[in-house]
Amino acid sequence: MQENLKTTRFNNGIEIPTTSLPINNDTTILYQWPYDQDTNNINIYGRLYTWNVAYSNDNVCPNSWHVPDNSDWETLRDFLGGESIAGGKMKEIGTTHWLETNSTVDNSSGFTGLGSGTRGNPSGFYDLDQSACFWSSTPVGMIGNFPRGNVFRLAAANNMLTNSVAVANNGKAIRLSLIHISEPTRPLYIS
């Protein structure tokens, strides 16, 4: 998809709630937010979701689409030339939605990544136009007392597409990937 997910419902019609309060960090937290609780940001940046939304059995995706797993993100990264340059081929050109850029950013992939920021917990919203973090559906599990998910990140300051781990109750963007008919269907929820 060429834009971040904007839905407030799972594919089966179940609502994904929102809150302005800090939230617990457990394996059942399902929330979404517009950046800074400002609905004017939805059309540009989409919504930010907890990792459990990306991983949920209820499926946040329309039919024939899925939340990319690490393998999907790594395939895209490698196809675009590797970690150190893939981000420049995925970011929107210019500084309309990035605080800074350079002449090697070309969005040649058509991904059109925007600096959609993050919702930390309990720190709130930050990094608008500085970074874009996208959930992967590949689980990490518990680190200490905190469930975590995989994230792939673009940053204003460089052309990298990096993989890291984030606390599952943080808000990150979701991009969808088309399920190829030639691929065997894999379940979204991995137990």
Side-chain angles (χ1 to χ4, degrees):
M1 263 193 163
Q2 292 182 338
E3 59 184 37
N4 296 348
L5 194 63
K6 299 176 183 177
T7 190
T8 59
R9 296 191 177 276
F10 288 105
N11 192 17
N12 60 10
I14 295 174
E15 184 177 3
I16 306 167
T18 191
T19 181
S20 59
L21 301 172
I23 55 175
N24 293 331
N25 197 9
D26 64 43
T27 58
T28 63
I29 297 300
L30 300 167
Y31 284 110
Q32 55 74 27
W33 305 269
Y35 186 88
D36 211 18
Q37 300 286 40
D38 183 349
T39 57
N40 293 317
N41 286 322
I42 297 168
N43 284 336
I44 299 169
Y45 300 104
R47 293 179 182 271
L48 303 173
Y49 301 86
T50 59
W51 180 79
N52 297 312
V53 171
Y55 187 68
S56 175
N57 241 358
D58 288 320
N59 195 358
V60 72
C61 309
N63 291 334
S64 300
W65 294 84
H66 69 275
V67 176
D69 62 16
N70 279 15
S71 175
D72 294 323
W73 282 107
E74 291 162 358
T75 298
L76 176 62
R77 180 196 62 208
D78 295 346
F79 178 79
L80 295 176
E83 180 179 299
S84 64
I85 63 171
K89 296 177 180 182
M90 296 171 66
K91 293 191 303 187
E92 176 187 64
I93 298 169
T95 56
T96 303
H97 301 107
W98 290 102
L99 287 180
E100 60 184 287
T101 191
N102 65 54
S103 62
T104 62
V105 171
D106 64 11
N107 193 32
S108 59
S109 70
F111 187 87
T112 315
L114 308 178
S116 53
T118 291
R119 183 188 191 271
N121 193 49
S123 58
F125 298 93
Y126 60 94
D127 275 355
L128 186 68
D129 295 340
Q130 295 179 53
S131 72
C133 296
F134 304 97
W135 287 122
S136 161
S137 63
T138 301
V140 172
M142 300 292 284
I143 299 178
N145 293 328
F146 300 103
R148 311 226 177 204
N150 279 284
V151 172
F152 284 79
R153 182 178 186 266
L154 301 173
N158 61 54
N159 288 340
M160 297 180 74
L161 174 63
T162 57
N163 175 231
S164 62
V165 173
V167 178
N169 69 354
N170 287 329
K172 310 290 186 193
I174 294 177
R175 282 288 178 106
L176 302 183
S177 181
L178 188 60
I179 296 173
H180 298 287
I181 294 170
S182 61
E183 294 179 358
T185 303
R186 60 182 172 73
L188 177 63
Y189 185 83
I190 304 166
S191 55

